[in-house]
Amino acid sequence: MTAPAITELPVVVIGAGPAGLAAAAHLVDQGIEPLVLEAGPTAGAAVREWSHVRLFSTWGEVVDPAAEKLLAPTGWTRPDPATYPSGGDWADLYLQPLADVLGARVRLGATVTGVSRTGRDRIVDADREQQPFVVHVAHADGREERVFARAVIDASGTWTTPSPAGGSGLPALGEKSAADRITYRVPDLKDPTVRARYAGKRTAVIGAGASAFTALAYLADLAKSGDGAGTKGVWILRRGITGSTFGGGEADQLPARGALGLAAKAAVDEGHADAVTGFRTEAIERDDNGRLILVGEDGRRLDAVDEVVVLTGFRPDLSFLNELRLGLDERLQAPVALAPLIDPNQHSCGTVYPHGHRQLSHPEQGVYLVGMKSYGRAPTFLAMTGYEQVRSVAAAIAGDLASADRVELTLPETGVCGGAGLFDVPDAAQGDGGGCCTPAPQLVQLGAPTATAATAERAPAGGCCDS
């Protein structure tokens, strides 16, 4: 089969999540035909897997302007911009209607298994840039297909590739064999089956970001409920505790994000969770009763727990892009030009500079990683960042470099960066911001299991999104 002329081809967008559907909307706005390939059975499939979790961004911050323009003729109206959607709300009230408007441009149950240049593996130079992209697709019914594209926008996110419990970045010894007691997502404790799994149990929560805060707050609520007596959290931190550990609090310009950290702190202060600091998990063992024992790199063995919730971040799946010439930072696995702007050792969400197609480009011209995937392993991503990314990329693909280069993005400062979170108080106080995290860090003394108590220590200076 001969590939058609490049100008006749669509732009393939991988993923029908918030960034992918926004990319499609911007391409349509530019007069370019998109083809969105979504591995899941519905639009926003990954978002639906955390439908029980409330975002810390408002409706006013999670709807893309081009998408809203595309939806307007259908009579769609944005929910109250000052309110906070859950993941389920976001998927049902925005992502699904947007996919419906795009219609046949969105294909579900279509998993991208490889991307290359037609007739060129990554070694071949000859006429490379004159060849269209070829995208290999595996369909849910077992069919295989190849699709030709003028450009490829990978907005597949990082949801399917969570980071492990192991402190070295590799799974801890025994982590895989203990999979029946480990989850890498915030548990939905409103689900009766899930609730029964954690009620009255001792659960280790590994992580230091918004998702860990959410899990701790959920477990504390369960402990205070009528059916949750005896529920206990054990918060495992790889670093020490400072005032910045709990995020921006009341100083956060995203009040809901600040409330997350305050909820986690309350869980500890009220005795519903203990904290173990400076603990890097090396192994997970079972005791005689099948409970799990976390063993640290320093030899510490924690008291047995019934369940482990690993919330140590995510990482990009680059396997299906292996035949493309990508320029990725060796640490973050983000585009080389973008990495210094999002390095969590230097930046919070609010100090990330505006960026667009130039920072997202690769040696392989015409391919872009956008959305959460563009950030690699950095945890600082917000939806509005992705929307500006895809606007710039769509303009660049259309040849409107003046618009593509005019990148404008203002992000709220301070606090924990990235992910979704728990927030139930819409009128929480709005802080005046200014700093990266909370006021001057202060040592916070937290309880830990007697047999494994560790002295809290100050986290290294430099960033406010420590993990």
Side-chain angles (χ1 to χ4, degrees):
M1 176 179 176
T2 302
I6 291 180
T7 54
E8 301 174 8
L9 297 173
V11 172
V12 164
V13 179
I14 306 174
L21 292 176
H26 281 280
L27 290 167
V28 170
D29 197 47
Q30 291 284 352
I32 298 173
E33 196 64 16
L35 175 60
V36 182
L37 301 174
E38 166 58 46
T42 63
V47 174
R48 292 179 187 279
E49 291 193 25
W50 49 270
S51 61
H52 60 291
V53 179
R54 193 169 299 281
L55 281 75
F56 53 60
S57 296
T58 65
W59 272 113
E61 296 158 338
V62 298
V63 173
D64 176 80
E68 189 167 12
K69 177 181 176 182
L70 197 61
L71 283 164
T74 70
W76 184 89
T77 56
R78 185 195 322 209
D80 184 347
T83 60
Y84 295 83
S86 66
D89 295 335
W90 203 16
D92 290 337
L93 302 181
Y94 169 61
L95 298 178
Q96 188 59 56
L98 180 54
D100 291 342
V101 168
L102 290 166
R105 298 181 176 108
V106 179
R107 297 185 188 175
L108 304 174
T111 301
V112 174
T113 59
V115 183
S116 186
R117 289 280 189 178
T118 303
R120 307 288 189 274
D121 63 20
R122 66 184 296 162
I123 299 175
V124 179
D125 291 332
D127 298 323
R128 187 176 188 85
E129 293 180 5
Q130 283 70 53
Q131 305 304 314
F133 292 96
V134 59
V135 181
H136 283 218
V137 184
H139 292 274
D141 61 5
R143 290 182 301 113
E144 291 184 309
E145 179 186 13
R146 63 175 181 172
V147 176
F148 297 106
R150 62 187 289 186
V152 175
I153 299 175
D154 183 356
S156 59
T158 58
W159 179 253
T160 60
T161 47
S163 296
S168 62
L170 301 173
L173 299 177
E175 183 171 346
K176 293 181 180 179
S177 62
D180 61 316
R181 299 260 180 141
I182 300 176
T183 183
Y184 299 85
R185 308 287 189 263
V186 176
D188 181 3
L189 299 184
K190 293 181 180 179
D191 181 314
T193 302
V194 177
R195 190 177 184 87
R197 175 175 173 174
Y198 294 92
K201 305 293 181 60
R202 182 177 169 85
T203 299
V205 177
I206 305 176
S211 294
F213 291 169
T214 303
L216 290 166
Y218 281 180
L219 289 170
D221 287 344
L222 177 58
K224 290 182 281 189
S225 68
D227 62 342
T231 303
K232 186 78 171 184
V234 182
W235 190 15
I236 311 298
L237 293 134
R238 293 172 178 171
R239 298 184 179 180
I241 300 283
T242 71
S244 64
T245 297
F246 297 101
E250 294 180 357
D252 198 322
Q253 290 187 5
L254 284 177
R257 188 172 59 193
L260 277 173
L262 296 177
K265 187 175 187 303
V268 176
D269 290 344
E270 295 169 4
H272 300 301
D274 295 323
V276 179
T277 61
F279 189 92
R280 294 180 176 273
T281 307
E282 182 176 78
I284 299 177
E285 301 176 355
R286 289 185 188 266
D287 68 9
D288 294 339
N289 297 314
R291 302 177 79 204
L292 303 183
I293 298 173
L294 274 59
V295 182
E297 292 178 353
D298 57 4
R300 279 184 290 168
R301 300 172 64 85
L302 303 187
D303 291 342
V305 297
D306 300 287
E307 301 285 344
V308 177
V309 180
V310 181
L311 300 168
T312 53
F314 295 85
R315 52 188 58 178
D317 177 8
L318 302 168
S319 60
F320 60 88
L321 304 176
N322 196 43
E323 291 304 318
L324 297 177
R325 298 175 177 180
L326 302 181
L328 298 174
D329 178 75
E330 67 275 9
R331 293 175 304 150
L332 298 183
Q333 295 180 297
V336 170
L338 177 61
L341 307 182
I342 62 173
D343 186 344
N345 294 298
Q346 303 295 329
H347 299 285
S348 75
C349 301
T351 62
V352 173
Y353 297 104
H355 59 275
H357 74 107
R358 296 194 184 278
Q359 292 77 21
L360 297 169
S361 63
H362 294 274
E364 193 80 71
Q365 294 184 23
V367 61
Y368 302 91
L369 276 60
V370 302
M372 188 67 219
K373 191 164 186 176
S374 72
Y375 271 39
R377 299 194 183 198
T380 56
F381 190 76
L382 291 174
M384 63 185 85
T385 301
Y387 295 157
E388 183 61 11
Q389 286 180 343
V390 297
R391 185 207 62 79
S392 174
V393 166
I397 292 173
D400 186 356
L401 294 183
S403 176
D405 288 335
R406 191 172 60 251
V407 181
E408 298 177 358
L409 180 65
T410 302
L411 296 174
E413 294 186 4
T414 78
V416 178
C417 305
L422 167 72
F423 184 57
D424 295 317
V425 188
D427 57 351
Q430 173 82 23
D432 56 8
C436 179
C437 293
T438 51
Q442 298 178 354
L443 194 65
V444 179
Q445 300 294 339
L446 299 179
T450 304
T452 58
T455 303
E457 60 185 13
R458 292 186 182 274
C464 73
C465 300
D466 300 330
S467 60

